[in-house]
Amino acid sequence: MFNTQWVRAFTFGTSLVVAAGLCGAAHAQSVFQAVKDRGHVICGASQGTVGFGAPDDNGYWRGLDIETCRAVAAAVFGDKDKVEFVPLSGQQRIPALLSGEIDLLPRTVTWTLRRDANGINFTTPNYYEFTGFMVPKALGVSKVEDMKGASVCVQTGSTTEVVVNDVSTKLSLNLQTVIFDNVAATRQAFFSGRCDALITDAAALASVRATQATNPDDYIIFPATKYMDALTPAVRQGDDQWFDIVKWSIQAMLAGEMYGVTQSNVDEMLNSSEPRIKRFLGVEAGNGAALGLDEKFAYNIIKQVGNYAEVFDRNLGKDSPLKIERGPNRLFSDGGLMFPLVFQ
């Protein structure tokens, strides 16, 4: 029923600890000051996951994680395009952040204790998701319990390595991991039949199925576990101001949705009599100064990038080819997990 290839799993924690030793030099100058002096933000990006981060036919980067980076650029410079994207594999992404190669890592990074304790500050989750398996329907598999002896294509440096091992041990499945060092190789191996299953975040699997499968209907996606992950843009430790700027840039998109402020009505909303909206858009001063930014930083984010609903819908949701339901990524007021904080 299943292939039985085996490649020894890579221990991502070891890579993280080694990389943490590289971050000391990056603290010599504040990240915020370095970004301002350089004139643009450098962000880690995926090696091509439509909906989260991938260049379009004209080479312009698009996706939820990409627009998270653009929101930070809009906040700092008043220009969402003052950005540079560095494609990184799962194994490369955290060392690149810790060493100072990039300023911000918005690339589908799961918030975990060991990462948080080893040189990284997680900001605000921009996507909640479960880890999933994708398998060909022809295998007749529809749940994890059916996967005994299956081979699984895994990208090294990701939390999915741990998930596969945990699931295999807990359910006595004897899953066989086949490890690859980059996204493209992992996906190519799966579609060429080297592995029975592909594991990653379920939304990324939906993107891969929609954009890379010859016939998307030939594949099924189901949860690997019952647990939800918080995919959270991260910065390296040591610069609280930069940490706050990134955190509140993401919060601005969430708050914009809660307040009903959109790209199309944000100029009109400048005349709102609602005190919270006046503070949010910088009509009433204070928030920008607290972060060391222009008072209209949140206005610039909404005007140039949009609120969270707009960003989600055009990249992943109803206005995108993927048509992914928002599910847990709805605002808390709509039954989701997204909780905007107070702008005051």
Side-chain angles (χ1 to χ4, degrees):
M1 177 180 181
F2 294 115
N3 297 328
T4 57
Q5 301 178 64
W6 170 263
V7 177
R8 182 172 60 86
F10 172 85
T11 306
F12 77 90
T14 301
S15 170
L16 184 58
V17 172
V18 171
L22 301 175
C23 68
H27 294 168
Q29 180 187 31
S30 81
V31 179
F32 183 41
Q33 188 60 52
V35 168
K36 289 195 296 182
D37 291 347
R38 186 194 309 124
H40 64 274
V41 184
I42 302 176
C43 291
S46 77
Q47 293 174 317
T49 300
V50 173
F52 287 94
D56 62 18
D57 292 340
N58 296 316
Y60 189 78
W61 281 84
R62 300 185 184 278
L64 177 70
D65 294 332
I66 297 303
E67 299 211 48
T68 298
C69 181
R70 294 191 188 282
V72 175
V76 174
F77 297 109
D79 185 346
K80 68 181 178 67
D81 288 322
K82 288 194 173 181
V83 290
E84 176 185 344
F85 298 104
V86 180
L88 299 167
S89 69
Q91 189 175 8
Q92 295 169 330
R93 57 187 171 170
I94 292 176
L97 177 63
L98 293 173
S99 68
E101 179 183 349
I102 59 175
D103 308 310
L104 167 61
L105 181 59
R107 180 204 176 284
T108 56
V109 184
T110 302
W111 191 338
T112 71
L113 183 152
R114 294 185 190 182
R115 288 173 173 173
D116 206 345
N118 282 281
I120 293 176
N121 278 336
F122 288 93
T123 57
T124 293
N126 69 343
Y127 198 83
Y128 290 97
E129 184 60 286
F130 64 84
T131 300
F133 286 112
M134 180 162 66
V135 301
K137 287 182 179 178
L139 292 180
V141 174
S142 60
K143 60 183 185 297
V144 175
E145 290 78 4
D146 297 333
M147 292 182 63
K148 191 167 186 178
S151 58
V152 184
C153 284
V154 180
Q155 182 188 346
T156 191
S158 73
T159 56
T160 55
E161 294 183 67
V162 177
V163 172
V164 171
N165 290 330
D166 286 353
V167 169
S168 184
T169 300
K170 179 180 179 179
L171 300 177
S172 300
L173 296 177
N174 192 31
L175 297 178
Q176 309 297 307
T177 55
V178 185
I179 308 296
F180 300 90
D181 63 3
N182 64 76
V183 170
T186 309
R187 296 171 182 176
Q188 183 178 5
F190 170 70
F191 286 117
S192 67
R194 285 193 61 190
C195 316
D196 301 304
L198 177 65
I199 185 170
T200 191
D201 304 315
L205 290 175
S207 171
V208 171
R209 181 174 62 179
T211 60
Q212 295 183 229
T214 303
N215 185 359
D217 290 337
D218 289 343
Y219 298 90
I220 184 174
I221 298 170
F222 52 84
T225 72
K226 65 180 180 180
Y227 304 110
M228 188 74 66
D229 293 327
L231 304 184
T232 311
V235 298
R236 59 186 171 274
Q237 294 174 4
D239 188 335
D240 289 345
Q241 184 180 15
W242 182 242
F243 172 65
D244 288 342
I245 287 169
V246 174
K247 175 173 57 182
W248 286 99
S249 294
I250 300 169
Q251 281 291 327
M253 293 189 284
L254 296 173
E257 179 180 2
M258 182 174 66
Y259 297 147
V261 183
T262 68
Q263 282 187 291
S264 62
N265 72 11
V266 66
D267 288 316
E268 178 185 346
M269 285 292 197
L270 289 172
N271 299 314
S272 173
S273 61
E274 169 62 47
R276 283 183 177 239
I277 294 178
K278 292 171 68 175
R279 287 192 294 270
F280 174 65
L281 294 178
V283 175
E284 181 180 309
N287 288 337
L291 293 172
L293 299 175
D294 188 278
E295 292 295 346
K296 297 184 73 174
F297 81 95
Y299 165 88
N300 289 331
I301 290 172
I302 301 300
K303 181 70 173 180
Q304 296 185 31
V305 179
N307 67 34
Y308 184 80
E310 293 176 297
V311 172
F312 185 100
D313 286 346
R314 69 171 166 259
N315 290 293
L316 297 167
K318 62 184 181 64
D319 299 327
S320 78
L322 301 181
K323 310 296 182 189
I324 294 173
E325 296 291 331
R326 277 189 68 175
N329 297 294
R330 298 187 300 267
L331 293 183
F332 77 99
S333 53
D334 297 324
L337 298 175
M338 292 297 183
F339 189 87
L341 302 178
V342 180
F343 276 71
Q344 67 181 47

